[in-house]
Amino acid sequence: MTVTVEETRKAKRVITKKPELLAPAGDLEKLKVAVHYGADAVFIGGQEFGLRSNAGNFTIDEMREGVEFANRYGAKIYVTTNIFAHNENIDGLEEYLQSLQEVGITGIIVADPLIIETCKKVAPKVEVHLSTQQSLSNWLAVKYWKEEGLHRVVLAREVGLEEMLEMKKHVDIEIEAFVHGAMCIAYSGRCVLSNHMTARDSNRGGCCQSCRWDYDLFELNENGDQALFNEQDPQYTMSPKDLNLLQSIPKVIEAGIDSLKVEGRMKSIHYVATVTSVYRKVIDAYCEDPDNFKIEKAWLDELDKCANRDFAPQFFEGTPTFEEQMYGNHPKRTNFDFIGFVLDYDPKTSIVTMQQRNHFRPGDEVEFFGPEIDNFVQTIDTIWDEDGHELDAARHPLQVVRFKVDQPLHPMNMMRKEVRK
């Protein structure tokens, strides 16, 4: 079943209703990077009522600036208000939702019925999107939330393709599904390990990611603790591999999924830029010529440059097995460091003004990338500071430096360096 909107141009099928590419942003800089690198929408967290209390999170004034920036690109901003509220969380809710409406937030992502009903009453211009925290996994539940007046539902990460098709067949509502990012070992994030081990509430923004820790295995018996491992054995984890549906994007689009969501509000701007730009290219390429589309190896290689965990399609293609879990040693995979952020470029002198984000020096081979350019590699020659003094290295955090580049660059392009082992 195909539920996409398409037409024929010069005897070639073209998909004219592209799905929304929804990117994460933990702070204002990441929001701007996500939009600049191709996101149609960005989801952020405010300083209240959200589930990522350790992210930078946005003040109302920062949200206003983010909305103004996104509007220049025609992008939308959604705010996570997806805690399960306790009594002490209710104070200030109405005023907060009204503030979101006032600054131009398109929608909220919400799990608690109290917040849903309050938003519909006090901020009716704000769309209400059901959070993945509600574990939505069948079309009758989708129908229920449609009848409750919600604009969009975010599916549980455990929903597969065939279930998505059933939902689109029975219910006319926007569907948002995760396509990339970390997976939770618990069903749809309903975990209490963090609560038990650290008294940090997973469902009120405090998750300490207990499943990412390393563990030793013991048996408790009348003789005390008996180790079930040898010292040379790798430690156990409970962690699933990260979700990656890049090669399944054609199926996601043909299923009519309205919004393709990338997880990672805690991730770096290098991660946000890289993942957003790759999915942007794949979505655009498939919609332009779906019948002749092929996944390019360069796209897969590009994603690997910001990944530190193995990938899997998880539930989309079927029920995961032990092969979709992280067992034993799982060394860091990323072999590229993000080292510079372009502030300016002078076409007359070919000199770039760069903000340092990691150590680099003359003689380093670096790679530049961004939405306006094709990736290119060069060796750095002389580096100068802002006053024109020659430097032996750019070693100070956020230091502004200048040097010549082989090809034109643009503000917000990035520079990275391969870490050779």
Side-chain angles (χ1 to χ4, degrees):
M1 174 187 176
T2 299
V3 291
T4 52
V5 179
E6 60 185 58
E7 62 182 45
T8 301
R9 298 177 185 165
K10 298 180 180 180
K12 182 178 74 172
R13 185 167 72 99
V14 176
I15 295 174
T16 56
K17 182 182 179 296
K18 294 181 183 179
E20 173 186 271
L21 175 57
L22 177 56
D27 58 35
L28 190 56
E29 182 182 48
K30 293 172 188 175
L31 182 154
K32 293 179 179 180
V33 165
V35 171
H36 185 74
Y37 277 72
D40 300 301
V42 177
F43 66 100
I44 67 176
Q47 296 187 333
E48 300 176 87
F49 306 106
L51 280 186
R52 284 290 179 266
S53 61
N54 291 327
N57 292 331
F58 287 68
T59 65
I60 294 299
D61 286 341
E62 288 172 332
M63 289 184 192
R64 182 179 286 106
E65 183 178 344
V67 168
E68 291 172 354
F69 182 88
N71 285 343
R72 298 203 291 269
Y73 289 78
K76 301 175 180 178
I77 306 296
Y78 308 129
V79 175
T80 57
T81 56
N82 52 352
I83 66 167
F84 287 104
H86 291 231
N87 292 328
E88 62 268 25
N89 301 127
I90 296 172
D91 289 345
L93 175 61
E94 292 188 2
E95 293 80 6
Y96 180 71
L97 295 172
Q98 289 167 341
S99 296
L100 299 186
Q101 178 172 271
E102 187 271 325
V103 301
I105 296 299
T106 298
I108 61 170
I109 304 170
V110 55
D112 194 308
L114 166 71
I115 301 177
I116 292 173
E117 293 306 313
T118 303
C119 185
K120 287 160 62 176
K121 180 179 68 174
V122 305
K125 294 180 182 178
V126 176
E127 294 179 4
V128 179
H129 300 180
L130 189 74
S131 170
T132 189
Q133 290 294 109
Q134 272 289 348
S135 307
L136 196 62
S137 55
N138 68 81
W139 73 263
L140 285 169
V142 175
K143 181 172 180 288
Y144 168 83
W145 289 110
K146 165 75 173 180
E147 292 171 351
E148 285 294 305
L150 271 65
H151 183 268
R152 176 186 294 184
V153 294
V154 187
L155 302 184
R157 286 175 170 86
E158 295 79 16
V159 174
L161 173 61
E162 293 304 316
E163 294 167 307
M164 294 181 190
L165 290 170
E166 281 291 299
M167 293 172 183
K168 294 300 292 186
K169 176 181 176 181
H170 290 287
V171 188
D172 180 20
I173 191 173
E174 287 191 5
I175 287 182
E176 178 179 308
F178 284 90
V179 296
H180 196 91
M183 296 288 292
C184 184
I185 195 65
Y187 193 90
S188 284
R190 295 176 180 274
C191 178
V192 294
L193 282 175
S194 177
N195 306 52
H196 177 69
M197 294 179 175
T198 67
R200 288 167 51 181
D201 192 338
S202 303
N203 294 306
R204 287 197 285 175
C207 181
C208 67
Q209 296 192 319
S210 311
C211 63
R212 301 296 196 258
W213 300 355
D214 291 326
Y215 293 90
D216 291 325
L217 188 62
F218 295 85
E219 180 181 9
L220 302 181
N221 54 40
E222 62 275 9
N223 298 319
D225 299 346
Q226 179 180 349
L228 300 180
F229 63 96
N230 296 316
E231 290 297 332
Q232 66 272 21
D233 290 342
Q235 292 181 302
Y236 296 88
T237 69
M238 296 179 284
S239 182
K241 295 178 181 178
D242 283 357
L243 175 67
N244 180 346
L245 292 187
L246 191 74
Q247 298 188 70
S248 300
I249 290 301
K251 294 180 182 179
V252 178
I253 294 175
E254 295 290 350
I257 302 306
D258 300 276
S259 182
L260 280 52
K261 188 170 193 172
V262 175
E263 183 274 340
R265 284 198 289 126
M266 303 284 285
K267 298 291 183 69
S268 69
I269 62 170
H270 178 233
Y271 171 91
V272 171
T274 303
V275 175
T276 300
S277 63
V278 171
Y279 276 88
R280 177 79 278 152
K281 291 172 184 175
V282 173
I283 292 168
D284 290 349
Y286 183 78
C287 290
E288 180 61 29
D289 190 4
D291 296 329
N292 297 298
F293 174 83
K294 292 182 180 178
I295 287 285
E296 296 182 11
K297 182 176 183 297
W299 296 333
L300 301 173
D301 291 342
E302 187 76 0
L303 276 186
D304 277 341
K305 292 174 182 177
C306 69
N308 60 6
R309 296 163 60 80
D310 289 338
F311 291 130
Q314 298 300 354
F315 290 85
F316 183 80
E317 303 285 358
T319 303
T321 68
F322 71 91
E323 294 183 351
E324 282 70 53
Q325 306 299 312
M326 303 283 284
Y327 290 107
N329 293 325
H330 40 89
K332 184 178 180 181
R333 297 180 65 227
T334 302
N335 59 346
F336 281 82
D337 282 342
F338 168 44
I339 59 173
F341 191 66
V342 174
L343 301 178
D344 195 16
Y345 170 77
D346 186 343
K348 294 179 181 179
T349 62
S350 298
I351 289 179
V352 64
T353 302
M354 181 80 65
Q355 185 184 67
Q356 185 259 31
R357 294 301 178 96
N358 215 324
H359 182 279
F360 65 95
R361 64 175 61 249
D364 283 348
E365 185 178 81
V366 299
E367 181 182 35
F368 297 94
F369 72 101
E372 306 89 352
I373 64 173
D374 293 328
N375 291 22
F376 70 93
V377 175
Q378 76 164 67
T379 299
I380 292 179
D381 196 359
T382 307
I383 302 174
W384 301 278
D385 67 15
E386 290 182 277
D387 298 320
H389 301 125
E390 188 173 333
L391 301 172
D392 66 340
R395 56 169 55 87
H396 303 299
L398 303 182
Q399 182 179 19
V400 175
V401 299
R402 296 185 175 94
F403 54 90
K404 282 195 173 185
V405 289
D406 296 342
Q407 298 182 34
L409 293 170
H410 302 264
M412 300 183 76
N413 288 169
M414 296 189 188
M415 181 174 74
R416 58 189 169 207
K417 178 177 68 174
E418 186 171 7
V419 180
R420 303 189 185 278
K421 298 180 180 180

